[in-house]
Amino acid sequence: MPDISITVSGRNAEGLPEIIAWVLERNLPFSVNFCRQNDLSVTHGDLKLDEEKIIEGMMAAFEVIENNLPERSLLASLTDRANLAIPHMKTCSVGQDYLVFDQHGRVAKCQMKMNEAVADINTEDPLTLIREDQIGIQNISVEGKEGCRDCQWKYWCTGGCPLETYRATGRYDLQSPNCNIYKAIFPEVLRLEGLRLLKHAGELA
Ligand code: SF4
């Protein structure tokens, strides 16, 4: 069964309810992620996130979900890089146990930074180089992110994609530029999960 990854930007947020209805009707697993800039998309201004449009699109999509609650949990599927299903300290594995290879055999820390290879396939221990690299993306624990330390969502959100934060602020130790979107949608995602559990309570018992 395919797993559908839906990328939301200011350009397409309005159409989000329609695609969500489509995947729910077919009972397909899916996840919603926010558009992240890369070197090729940076000139497309309309791919940038527009807070208001994204929140509106997400809320409209949640209405669609409420009317067709799936059997599977959406706690880890609706909130970009956040995962409301399990507490954790870092948003992803970049710089820890994550290697990305390109077609030339170069090894980078993240697929968004393929132009900044740290090693190649001939390197004896590329993972150690990735872990020790101090120049590329730094994956800081949410405890070390200013603005996140006292946030009630910190162990589920963990402060967002480090690269996106760096692009927006020049720092890795700050909260995500999508923070306002996250705080608006997290409570709704929890509410949907409660409704989903109630709906399927008989089947889960
Ligand atoms: S990015 Fe915002 S919502 Fe996420 S942990 Fe930090 S302060 Fe909380």
Side-chain angles (χ1 to χ4, degrees):
M1 186 181 287
D3 198 319
I4 312 291
S5 177
I6 301 167
T7 302
V8 189
S9 68
R11 184 194 286 186
N12 68 8
E14 210 181 330
L16 190 57
E18 200 180 330
I19 181 68
I20 294 287
W22 190 89
V23 291
L24 288 175
E25 274 162 29
R26 287 157 183 81
N27 195 23
L28 293 170
F30 69 94
S31 60
V32 176
N33 296 290
F34 298 158
C35 184
R36 277 184 282 288
Q37 276 188 18
N38 59 42
D39 296 335
L40 297 176
S41 73
V42 81
T43 52
H44 295 271
D46 57 341
L47 286 179
K48 282 190 188 151
L49 290 187
D50 176 328
E51 238 172 63
E52 233 171 86
K53 277 190 192 163
I54 301 281
I55 293 172
E56 261 175 42
M58 293 295 288
M59 293 301 177
F62 292 167
E63 266 184 57
V64 172
I65 295 171
E66 189 168 345
N67 291 322
N68 189 6
L69 290 161
E71 285 178 26
R72 64 177 68 85
S73 171
L74 299 177
L75 283 178
S77 314
L78 291 176
T79 49
D80 192 34
R81 302 302 302 165
N83 180 351
L84 302 190
I86 185 164
H88 51 294
M89 302 283 273
K90 292 184 176 182
T91 304
C92 65
S93 301
V94 70
Q96 274 183 287
D97 50 14
Y98 194 56
L99 303 168
V100 187
F101 294 82
D102 74 3
Q103 73 274 30
H104 304 295
R106 292 176 298 207
V107 184
K109 295 175 90 170
C110 171
Q111 65 276 11
M112 304 294 282
K113 280 287 175 189
M114 291 309 298
N115 58 336
E116 292 177 16
V118 175
D120 63 39
I121 48 170
N122 299 311
T123 307
E124 195 172 329
D125 185 359
L127 188 56
T128 296
L129 281 186
I130 295 261
R131 287 176 174 159
E132 289 176 350
D133 174 69
Q134 299 289 314
I135 297 168
I137 306 170
Q138 302 302 305
N139 198 1
I140 291 174
S141 157
V142 68
E143 301 278 11
K145 292 183 181 177
E146 210 176 296
C148 297
R149 285 185 203 110
D150 299 323
C151 175
Q152 62 178 326
W153 302 104
K154 67 179 175 182
Y155 295 128
W156 289 268
C157 170
T158 64
C161 166
L163 185 55
E164 205 58 20
T165 301
Y166 188 79
R167 280 190 204 282
T169 67
R171 287 170 60 178
Y172 291 105
D173 61 343
L174 289 177
Q175 75 268 39
S176 167
N178 301 330
C179 180
N180 289 338
I181 305 177
Y182 294 149
K183 284 179 174 167
I185 65 173
F186 288 162
E188 280 304 299
V189 173
L190 288 185
R191 193 179 71 82
L192 281 179
E193 176 66 0
L195 292 173
R196 189 193 71 81
L197 288 171
L198 288 172
K199 176 182 171 186
H200 296 291
E203 300 148 43
L204 295 171

